[in-house]
Amino acid sequence: MAAAKGAAAVSGEIEFTGERFIPGTRGEIWVEHWHRYHFAERWARGRRVLDVACGEGYGAALLAGSAAHVTGIDISPASIEHARHAYGSAPNVEFVAASCAQLPVASASFDVVVSFETLEHIHEHDAFLAEIARVLKPEGVLLLSCPNRLEYSDKRAFANEFHVKELYREELAALLGSRFPETSWYGQRPSFFSVIAAEGSAPRAGALLEVAEADPASATAALASPLYFIVVASRARKSLEQLEPEVSVLADRDEWVHRDYEKVMRDLGGAAAEREQALELVAERDRAIDFMHRDVVEWKRLKAASDASLEQARIDHARELERLGAELRARDTAIAAKDYEIVRRGGLRWWLKLPLYRLGILKHPPV
């Protein structure tokens, strides 16, 4: 168990990609993975255990705290090298790089096989189960988990890029039933919970109550929609009846999930306040735009009126100029007619006297 606690200190040697869980990874994923190994521990006590697809080794190290011996197998050489470095100092744990469809161990050599979240990553389901059946003793126990395709993918419209073949419940039951006729099914789903536990560590029966917020007075004694299946399987019924728990609860001592939920809700509250502020700013902007729009409309109206007034003034001015021009032309015509009449009446004499009049020699104009 001590080796398992030190996982976070060295887990940085492997990068978390989402394909394998790495201790120290934040989110509900750590609750899911650690709970499975704690759940399996009761079957591992004092027995020889094979952890297939052990990943970076944290689970095998946890089981080694109470098992007689644990062998961890994973197809990733890098993960196995990390596991050896992180947990290999324990005398009863070893790690081997190999495929889960070709396990390099003797037949009927293990009391317990643990394989969590493996099936969905491979196509060779039959070969995998055949190998597990081969290496287990006749009364041995298999603890296996995999996503519930209906809840995990279908209802959430979610596709995990690392999963190649997820199963529905009936498919998993058929796959296991051909080699392990005795099974006990459990459902796992991360959730908020309220724990009521007796003081002390004396073994007691547990109880599961699932309720909905809309109808908290009605409770059921089973998970309605498990996200993951955990199946305990064997060829001997007595191997299952000895250690089956009624319910298993992994309580987070640091309340990470709840604190993270509270943080998310605070962030959402802050975001809601910021949204209200943003909406008010938008409303203020819209009011300003509307005010400016009204100003523009009024300016256009005044400009149109001014343009019309200027156009009318231009027309009136042109008409006035035309009238004055007509008057001038009429006067010019009258003057011309007068001059003509004077010339006609005075003749040459008048024209001869006119310069003398203009020079002041004659006192009276010629007639």
Side-chain angles (χ1 to χ4, degrees):
M1 181 73 79
K5 292 181 178 178
V10 295
S11 61
E13 299 174 14
I14 296 180
E15 180 184 359
F16 176 71
T17 64
E19 184 175 16
R20 291 178 178 83
F21 171 70
I22 305 297
T25 303
R26 296 180 64 82
E28 65 184 23
I29 186 173
W30 76 266
V31 176
E32 298 168 350
H33 283 71
W34 280 105
H35 194 181
R36 292 175 192 132
Y37 279 103
H38 281 285
F39 177 80
E41 190 177 14
R42 62 175 60 211
W43 281 276
R45 291 169 190 155
R47 296 177 175 177
R48 289 183 55 80
V49 179
L50 177 65
D51 185 6
V52 182
C54 66
E56 69 91 60
Y58 69 97
L62 185 152
L63 298 177
S66 58
H69 188 274
V70 178
T71 300
I73 290 181
D74 197 276
I75 197 171
S76 168
S79 295
I80 292 299
E81 182 62 29
H82 169 84
R84 289 170 179 166
H85 175 75
Y87 314 106
S89 60
N92 65 333
V93 65
E94 64 175 330
F95 296 95
V96 180
S99 167
C100 64
Q102 292 180 324
L103 300 173
V105 296
S107 299
S109 57
F110 288 94
D111 303 297
V112 177
V113 171
V114 175
S115 189
F116 294 140
E117 303 304 286
T118 307
L119 273 175
E120 66 273 16
H121 292 274
I122 62 174
H123 289 286
E124 308 90 339
H125 289 179
D126 287 331
F128 172 55
L129 265 294
E131 277 293 89
I132 291 177
R134 179 184 67 82
V135 304
L136 266 177
K137 295 178 180 179
E139 71 282 4
V141 175
L142 164 65
L143 288 100
L144 178 144
S145 78
C146 71
N148 175 2
R149 180 176 174 179
L150 179 64
E151 297 293 331
Y152 185 88
S153 295
D154 294 355
K155 290 187 177 180
R156 302 194 301 175
F158 173 69
N160 189 316
E161 61 179 307
F162 300 108
H163 292 183
V164 298
K165 191 177 181 181
E166 296 174 357
L167 299 178
Y168 295 107
R169 191 187 192 283
E170 57 272 19
E171 293 175 322
L172 180 58
L175 180 67
L176 291 170
S178 62
R179 294 181 175 85
F180 300 98
E182 302 296 336
T183 56
S184 293
W185 287 73
Y186 296 85
Q188 181 187 24
R189 187 181 67 217
S191 178
F192 289 123
F193 50 81
S194 170
V195 176
I196 298 177
E199 292 184 351
S201 57
R204 294 177 175 87
L208 168 67
L209 298 172
E210 184 181 65
V211 301
E213 183 183 15
D215 187 17
S218 299
T220 57
L223 291 178
S225 305
L227 193 61
Y228 301 95
F229 296 123
I230 297 179
V231 185
V232 184
S234 179
R235 287 169 285 220
R237 185 64 202 173
K238 65 178 182 179
S239 298
L240 304 184
E241 293 173 345
Q242 298 171 355
L243 297 169
E244 286 182 324
E246 182 175 351
V247 65
S248 174
V249 177
L250 181 73
D252 175 15
R253 183 179 294 115
D254 297 324
E255 295 187 334
W256 180 89
V257 175
H258 197 273
R259 287 190 292 106
D260 189 65
Y261 167 78
E262 291 178 334
K263 178 180 181 301
V264 170
M265 294 306 294
R266 286 196 302 271
D267 290 346
L268 286 175
E274 292 177 359
R275 178 178 179 274
E276 290 300 320
Q277 292 176 359
L279 289 175
E280 180 56 33
L281 289 175
V282 170
E284 185 176 345
R285 180 208 63 184
D286 291 344
R287 289 193 294 270
I289 290 175
D290 185 61
F291 181 78
M292 288 187 289
H293 177 70
R294 291 197 302 270
D295 277 357
V296 169
V297 170
E298 180 63 15
W299 177 83
K300 288 182 177 180
R301 187 190 68 78
L302 292 175
K303 183 177 183 299
S306 176
D307 290 344
S309 177
L310 290 174
E311 178 64 15
Q312 186 61 45
R314 183 188 67 77
I315 293 172
D316 292 344
H317 181 66
R319 286 175 179 172
E320 181 66 14
L321 290 177
E322 179 65 23
R323 185 186 66 78
L324 292 175
E327 289 183 0
L328 289 174
R329 288 191 296 275
R331 289 180 183 181
D332 290 343
T333 300
I335 292 172
K338 184 69 175 175
D339 288 344
Y340 175 78
E341 180 64 22
I342 292 173
V343 171
R344 186 184 65 78
R345 290 175 59 187
L348 179 61
R349 184 184 58 186
W350 186 86
W351 283 102
L352 291 175
K353 292 181 179 179
L354 181 61
L356 296 175
Y357 170 74
R358 289 178 175 173
L359 291 174
I361 298 175
L362 294 177
K363 294 181 179 179
H364 302 283
V367 294

